[in-house]
Each structure stands twice: as C-alpha cells, then as structure tokens.
Amino acid sequence: GQQLVESGGGSVQAGGSLTLSCRNSGPSLRLTGWFRQSEGKEREAVAAWYTNSGTPRYANSVKDRFNISRDSAKNTVHLQMNNLKPEDTGMYYCAASYGGSWDQIRAYTHWGQGTQVTVSS
C-alpha cells in the first residue's frame, strides 16, 4: 500500500533554502501534494505534482520561490524551497491522491507524518 515518508526539514534563516523529499513506497498515484500547517492555522496546499502529465501546481504565496519535481526512478517528489520567509514556517506534509483538485485536502487519501520547517528572521 501507500506509505509516504517525508525528509529534509530543518531550521534556516530567512532567505535560505531547503529541499523536502517525499518517498512513496507504494504505486504512484495520480497526484502528489505538499501541504503545510502553522500553529493556530488550517492546513494549506503549497504545491502539487500531476504524475501523468508531469505538471506542477503552486500556491500564489510560494510561486517563483518553490519548485516541485519528481524522480520517477525513486518514486520520490521533491519540493525545493528558496528565499524562505518566516511565514513559511510550519509542519510540511506530503500527500497522495487518486485525483481531484490539487489544493483540496479532501482529494488526498494518503498522508505522511510531516517534517518541520522553521524559518527565522
């Protein structure tokens, strides 16, 4: 079955970079997304990758700073985060979906445990 494992979180200063990885031990699903949740806030979609078309989607808040990609050989989706801001701080979750709207939590059926990203000013 699907098992998603995130890695790559950490602490950086504003303006720094981090790359998160999400390895899927099961078959590839149609959609892999990254979500984040900050303290006291709802979980929000950050970026997603459509497997069949090989196309990305981004939230407006991260467009031009984040880049999502997929290593098909390793069944791993990467999220490269550049020019990080304090407001990017949060727990980042990887999720997989059989299909649906990339930015809707209800579209995703499998979730990882999350990896913490902390950006200090």
Side-chain angles (χ1 to χ4, degrees):
Q2 299 290 317
Q3 184 173 2
L4 305 176
V5 179
E6 303 99 334
S7 62
S11 297
V12 295
Q13 290 190 328
S17 299
L18 283 173
T19 298
L20 306 183
S21 298
C22 172
R23 183 175 64 83
N24 187 345
S25 62
S28 297
L29 296 190
R30 185 174 179 182
L31 182 61
T32 302
W34 283 98
F35 287 75
R36 69 184 178 194
Q37 188 165 19
S38 307
E39 190 171 348
K41 295 186 178 180
E42 293 185 352
R43 193 170 297 190
E44 62 175 354
V46 175
W49 182 266
Y50 281 92
T51 302
N52 292 343
S53 62
T55 54
R57 296 290 187 273
Y58 298 98
N60 287 335
S61 59
V62 305
K63 199 177 299 184
D64 299 327
R65 298 190 297 122
F66 289 13
N67 183 64
I68 189 170
S69 62
R70 181 173 178 265
D71 183 338
S72 58
K74 297 181 179 179
N75 203 11
T76 298
V77 172
H78 302 290
L79 182 67
Q80 181 180 355
M81 307 184 295
N82 301 314
N83 190 22
L84 283 161
K85 303 176 180 181
E87 51 264 42
D88 293 319
T89 293
M91 185 69 78
Y92 282 68
Y93 298 91
C94 174
S97 167
Y98 292 98
S101 299
W102 73 273
D103 58 348
Q104 298 298 309
I105 291 174
R106 62 177 179 267
Y108 294 84
T109 52
H110 304 279
W111 292 82
Q113 294 299 307
T115 185
Q116 177 69 33
V117 172
T118 303
V119 185
S120 57
S121 57

